[in-house]
Amino acid sequence: MHDSGADNAPGVIVIDSVTTLGITLVVCLVGEIDGHSVAPLRALLASAAADGYTGLVVDTSRVTLCDASLLAALGWWSRQGRRLTLVNRSGGVPRRQFAACPGQSAPRAGSLTSAAAS
Protein backbone atom coordinates (compact mmCIF):
# COMPACT_ATOMS: atom_id res chain seq x y z
CA MET A 1 0.00 0.00 0.00
CA HIS A 2 1.28 3.44 -0.90
CA ASP A 3 1.52 5.89 1.99
CA SER A 4 2.06 9.42 0.76
CA GLY A 5 2.12 10.72 4.31
CA ALA A 6 -0.94 12.83 3.53
CA ASP A 7 -4.05 12.95 5.66
CA ASN A 8 -6.82 10.84 4.10
CA ALA A 9 -9.62 12.54 6.02
CA PRO A 10 -12.73 13.51 4.03
CA GLY A 11 -12.32 16.85 2.30
CA VAL A 12 -8.56 16.52 1.98
CA ILE A 13 -6.96 16.17 -1.42
CA VAL A 14 -4.29 13.52 -1.56
CA ILE A 15 -1.54 13.81 -4.11
CA ASP A 16 -1.15 10.08 -4.48
CA SER A 17 1.89 10.17 -6.72
CA VAL A 18 4.12 12.58 -8.58
CA THR A 19 6.55 11.52 -11.26
CA THR A 20 8.54 13.39 -13.83
CA LEU A 21 9.18 12.64 -17.48
CA GLY A 22 11.69 15.18 -18.70
CA ILE A 23 10.11 18.60 -18.16
CA THR A 24 6.62 17.13 -17.62
CA LEU A 25 5.13 16.52 -14.19
CA VAL A 26 2.67 13.63 -13.87
CA VAL A 27 0.30 13.93 -10.88
CA CYS A 28 -2.31 11.43 -9.68
CA LEU A 29 -4.95 12.89 -7.37
CA VAL A 30 -7.16 11.04 -4.88
CA GLY A 31 -10.03 12.24 -2.71
CA GLU A 32 -12.12 15.39 -2.46
CA ILE A 33 -10.96 18.72 -3.86
CA ASP A 34 -12.41 21.99 -2.63
CA GLY A 35 -11.21 25.49 -1.78
CA HIS A 36 -9.43 24.30 1.36
CA SER A 37 -8.01 20.99 0.23
CA VAL A 38 -6.53 22.26 -3.04
CA ALA A 39 -3.65 24.02 -1.23
CA PRO A 40 -1.15 21.12 -1.55
CA LEU A 41 -1.75 20.97 -5.30
CA ARG A 42 -1.29 24.73 -5.68
CA ALA A 43 1.98 24.54 -3.74
CA LEU A 44 3.18 21.63 -5.87
CA LEU A 45 2.36 23.46 -9.10
CA ALA A 46 4.10 26.66 -7.94
CA SER A 47 7.20 24.68 -7.00
CA ALA A 48 7.19 22.77 -10.30
CA ALA A 49 6.83 26.01 -12.27
CA ALA A 50 9.74 27.56 -10.35
CA ASP A 51 11.82 24.45 -11.11
CA GLY A 52 11.19 24.83 -14.85
CA TYR A 53 8.56 22.19 -15.58
CA THR A 54 6.48 23.13 -18.61
CA GLY A 55 4.13 20.15 -18.94
CA LEU A 56 1.55 18.77 -16.54
CA VAL A 57 -0.48 15.56 -16.81
CA VAL A 58 -3.19 15.17 -14.15
CA ASP A 59 -4.94 11.86 -13.53
CA THR A 60 -8.29 12.40 -11.79
CA SER A 61 -9.50 8.77 -11.94
CA ARG A 62 -9.59 8.53 -8.13
CA VAL A 63 -11.04 11.96 -7.34
CA THR A 64 -14.32 11.42 -5.53
CA LEU A 65 -15.59 15.01 -5.56
CA CYS A 66 -14.35 18.39 -6.75
CA ASP A 67 -15.51 21.95 -7.15
CA ALA A 68 -14.16 24.84 -9.23
CA SER A 69 -11.03 25.01 -7.05
CA LEU A 70 -9.39 22.30 -9.14
CA LEU A 71 -10.24 24.21 -12.30
CA ALA A 72 -8.73 27.39 -10.82
CA ALA A 73 -5.49 25.67 -9.78
CA LEU A 74 -5.02 24.03 -13.16
CA GLY A 75 -6.05 27.22 -14.95
CA TRP A 76 -3.20 29.05 -13.20
CA TRP A 77 -0.75 26.52 -14.65
CA SER A 78 -1.99 26.91 -18.22
CA ARG A 79 -2.23 30.72 -18.01
CA GLN A 80 1.53 30.71 -17.39
CA GLY A 81 1.95 29.28 -20.90
CA ARG A 82 2.48 25.72 -19.72
CA ARG A 83 1.01 22.58 -21.29
CA LEU A 84 -1.82 20.79 -19.44
CA THR A 85 -3.35 17.38 -20.11
CA LEU A 86 -6.15 15.89 -18.02
CA VAL A 87 -6.62 12.13 -18.16
CA ASN A 88 -8.98 9.52 -16.75
CA ARG A 89 -11.85 11.71 -15.50
CA SER A 90 -13.69 10.10 -12.61
CA GLY A 91 -17.39 10.48 -11.86
CA GLY A 92 -16.36 12.88 -9.07
CA VAL A 93 -15.10 15.40 -11.63
CA PRO A 94 -18.03 17.00 -13.47
CA ARG A 95 -17.64 16.70 -17.24
CA ARG A 96 -18.27 20.43 -17.71
CA GLN A 97 -15.38 21.29 -15.35
CA PHE A 98 -13.10 18.81 -17.07
CA ALA A 99 -13.94 20.25 -20.48
CA ALA A 100 -13.75 23.87 -19.31
CA CYS A 101 -10.24 23.69 -17.93
CA PRO A 102 -8.35 26.41 -19.81
CA GLY A 103 -5.40 25.63 -22.00
CA GLN A 104 -5.54 21.88 -21.83
CA SER A 105 -5.07 19.49 -24.68
CA ALA A 106 -7.98 17.18 -25.44
CA PRO A 107 -9.08 15.19 -22.37
CA ARG A 108 -8.34 11.53 -22.75
CA ALA A 109 -8.40 8.17 -21.09
CA GLY A 110 -5.42 5.90 -20.91
CA SER A 111 -1.75 5.80 -20.22
CA LEU A 112 -0.17 8.61 -18.25
CA THR A 113 3.12 7.97 -19.97
CA SER A 114 1.64 8.38 -23.44
CA ALA A 115 -0.19 11.55 -22.31
CA ALA A 116 3.06 12.98 -20.95
CA ALA A 117 4.92 12.19 -24.16
CA SER A 118 2.40 13.95 -26.42
Side-chain angles (χ1 to χ4, degrees):
M1 176 174 212
H2 174 76
D3 180 10
S4 65
D7 182 359
N8 291 324
V12 175
I13 184 175
V14 176
I15 299 172
D16 186 54
S17 67
V18 178
T19 54
T20 59
L21 294 169
I23 57 172
T24 298
L25 195 67
V26 180
V27 179
C28 297
L29 303 176
V30 178
E32 298 180 5
I33 305 169
D34 63 21
H36 299 287
S37 64
V38 76
L41 179 62
R42 287 181 192 215
L44 175 69
L45 296 181
S47 177
D51 288 342
Y53 288 92
T54 60
L56 176 64
V57 175
V58 180
D59 182 343
T60 62
S61 62
R62 295 175 55 205
V63 172
T64 55
L65 179 74
C66 79
D67 65 13
S69 300
L70 177 61
L71 181 65
L74 298 177
W76 174 86
W77 178 269
S78 62
R79 283 190 303 275
Q80 307 302 310
R82 293 178 175 82
R83 187 174 37 88
L84 171 63
T85 304
L86 300 175
V87 295
N88 301 327
R89 183 187 68 84
S90 74
V93 180
R95 185 174 306 276
R96 70 184 183 286
Q97 284 184 341
F98 204 80
C101 195
Q104 73 157 324
S105 55
R108 63 179 92 183
S111 165
L112 296 176
T113 305
S114 63
S118 62

